[in-house]
C-alpha cells in the first residue's frame, strides 16, 4: 500500500477496474481509452505501454483484445504499484495473466535499456501517452503529477527512439498528444517510422482540436496522412456514437 488516497474506477462500462491515486499524481480517463483504441490485432500480439502510469491504456487493450500480451512500462515505483494491485482485482481476472508490469525508465538507451527489460525488435505495438504539458505551463508541488504531466525538451525524440528500438519491423507506434506537438512528433519519427496518420480530436464540430491521435509504422515509407477529425460531442454533453464506442472498448480506430 502507498498510503496515498485512492479510488477504484470502472472503465469500458465495468469490464475492467483501475486503482488510481486520489488528489495526487495522474488520473487516467478518456485520453487513455482513445489511445488504447488505436491498437488492433487479430492474432497474438505483443504490446508495450510506455509510461503506463496506473496501467489504464494497456489494460484497456488487454480487456478488449483477447490475443494481446501487454507490458506496462512505468518508471515510478508508486504508480507501478497501483498497476500491480489493479491486476490483482477480481474484476480484471479475465486478462491479468496476459499483463505484466516493468519498472523501467523509457529514456534508457542501448545496453542499459536492454538490461532494464526492454529488448530490441520485440513488440508488435507500442503505445504511449507521454507527459505533454510544457514544464512552464503547469507548476505543481505534487511530484507524481509533475512527473506525469510536464515534459522534457526532448521527450518525443527519446520516447519514440525507444519505441523504434523495441518494436518489430512493421510494428505500429500509437500515441496521443496535444496538437502543438505535431512537428516534434513528425521529426522524432524521422526515418524510424513512416505512414504517419494524424487524427485531430475536436470537442464539438467547428472547435479547435484539443488532442491528436497519431499512429505510424516502423520502417514504412508511406507518406503522412491527415485524417478527418473525430468529434467528441454531438448535442449536449453526450459523446458521439463513434467516440463512445472507442471510449468504451466496443471498437478499434483502424488505420486507413
Amino acid at each position: 500500500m502507498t498510503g496515498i488516497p485512492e479510488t477504484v474506477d470502472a472503465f469500458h462500462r465495468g469490464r475492467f477496474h483501475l486503482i488510481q491515486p486520489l488528489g495526487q499524481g495522474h488520473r487516467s480517463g478518456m485520453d487513455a481509452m482513445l489511445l488504447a483504441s488505436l491498437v488492433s490485432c487479430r492474432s497474438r500480439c505483443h504490446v508495450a505501454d510506455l509510461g503506463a502510469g496506473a496501467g489504464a491504456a494497456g489494460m484497456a487493450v488487454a480487456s478488449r483484445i483477447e490475443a494481446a500480451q501487454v507490458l506496462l512500462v512505468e518508471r515510478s515505483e508508486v504508480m507501478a504499484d497501483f498497476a500491480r494491485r489493479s491486476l490483482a482485482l477480481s474484476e480484471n481476472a479475465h486478462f491479468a495473466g496476459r499483463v505484466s508490469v516493468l519498472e523501467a525508465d523509457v529514456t534508457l538507451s542501448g545496453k542499459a535499456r536492454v538490461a532494464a527489460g526492454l529488448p530490441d525488435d520485440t513488440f508488435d505495438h507500442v503505445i504511449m501517452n507521454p507527459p505533454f504539458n510544457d514544464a512552464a505551463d503547469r507548476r505543481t508541488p505534487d511530484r507524481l503529477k509533475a512527473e506525469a504531466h510536464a515534459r522534457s525538451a526532448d521527450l518525443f525524440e527519446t520516447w519514440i527512439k525507444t519505441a523504434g528500438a523495441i518494436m518489430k519491423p512493421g510494428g505500429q507506434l500509437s500515441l496521443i498528444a496535444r496538437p502543438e506537438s505535431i512537428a516534434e512528433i513528425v521529426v522524432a519519427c524521422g526515418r524510424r517510422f513512416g505512414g504517419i496518420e494524424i487524427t485531430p480530436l475536436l470537442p464539438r464540430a467547428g472547435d479547435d482540436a484539443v488532442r491528436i491521435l497519431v499512429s505510424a509504422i516502423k520502417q514504412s515509407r508511406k507518406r503522412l496522412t491527415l485524417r478527418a477529425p473525430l468529434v467528441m460531442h454531438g448535442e449536449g454533453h453526450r459523446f458521439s456514437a463513434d467516440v463512445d464506442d472507442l471510449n468504451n472498448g466496443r471498437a478499434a480506430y483502424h488505420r486507413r
Side-chain angles (χ1 to χ4, degrees):
M1 298 291 289
T2 63
I4 297 173
E6 61 190 39
T7 60
V8 180
D9 302 301
F11 289 85
H12 286 185
R13 300 290 174 88
R15 289 202 300 279
F16 78 96
H17 288 68
L18 189 73
I19 303 174
Q20 302 194 84
L22 177 64
Q24 298 184 49
H26 173 71
R27 289 179 59 81
S28 296
M30 188 173 181
D31 281 5
M33 298 303 101
L34 292 177
L35 172 61
S37 77
L38 296 172
V39 178
S40 177
C41 55
R42 295 180 179 177
S43 57
R44 186 179 181 186
C45 60
H46 289 83
V47 182
D49 180 0
L50 301 187
M59 291 186 202
V61 171
S63 179
R64 177 172 56 85
I65 304 175
E66 293 183 1
Q69 301 276 339
V70 179
L71 178 65
L72 307 175
V73 185
E74 174 53 44
R75 180 178 65 177
S76 166
E77 179 182 0
V78 173
M79 297 306 294
D81 182 63
F82 277 108
R84 292 190 184 97
R85 292 195 294 118
S86 292
L87 290 172
L89 294 173
S90 60
E91 293 90 344
N92 298 335
H94 61 292
F95 64 77
R98 294 183 283 108
V99 181
S100 56
V101 181
L102 173 68
E103 286 183 39
D105 186 344
V106 171
T107 66
L108 293 174
S109 62
K111 293 181 180 179
R113 171 181 46 75
V114 174
L118 292 171
D120 293 344
D121 303 329
T122 301
F123 297 95
D124 303 288
H125 288 266
V126 174
I127 63 175
M128 60 177 73
N129 180 10
F132 48 54
N133 291 329
D134 189 278
D137 286 347
R138 297 185 180 181
R139 300 185 183 277
T140 173
D142 180 346
R143 180 181 59 82
L144 281 178
K145 184 174 289 187
E147 289 178 355
H149 288 185
R151 65 183 178 90
S152 60
D154 61 349
L155 180 143
F156 288 107
E157 171 61 27
T158 55
W159 283 50
I160 291 176
K161 178 181 177 181
T162 293
I166 68 176
M167 188 184 301
K168 298 175 183 177
Q172 179 176 315
L173 166 69
S174 303
L175 62 92
I176 185 168
R178 286 186 168 182
E180 56 262 38
S181 298
I182 286 178
E184 293 175 71
I185 293 167
V186 172
V187 169
C189 284
R191 294 182 179 273
R192 302 178 184 115
F193 295 92
I196 301 170
E197 294 190 359
I198 300 174
T199 303
L201 184 64
L202 317 183
R204 288 179 171 78
D207 285 351
D208 292 338
V210 293
R211 297 286 188 272
I212 51 171
L213 301 177
V214 182
S215 67
I217 304 299
K218 182 176 177 178
Q219 298 180 355
S220 171
R221 292 294 175 259
K222 291 184 178 180
R223 295 181 178 180
L224 182 150
T225 300
L226 183 61
R227 296 182 59 172
L230 279 175
V231 180
M232 293 171 58
H233 300 284
E235 294 183 3
H237 297 287
R238 289 188 177 184
F239 289 124
S240 63
D242 289 346
V243 170
D244 192 60
D245 283 345
L246 299 176
N247 189 41
N248 285 294
R250 292 191 293 265
Y253 187 65
H254 297 283
R255 287 176 53 86
R256 294 296 189 197

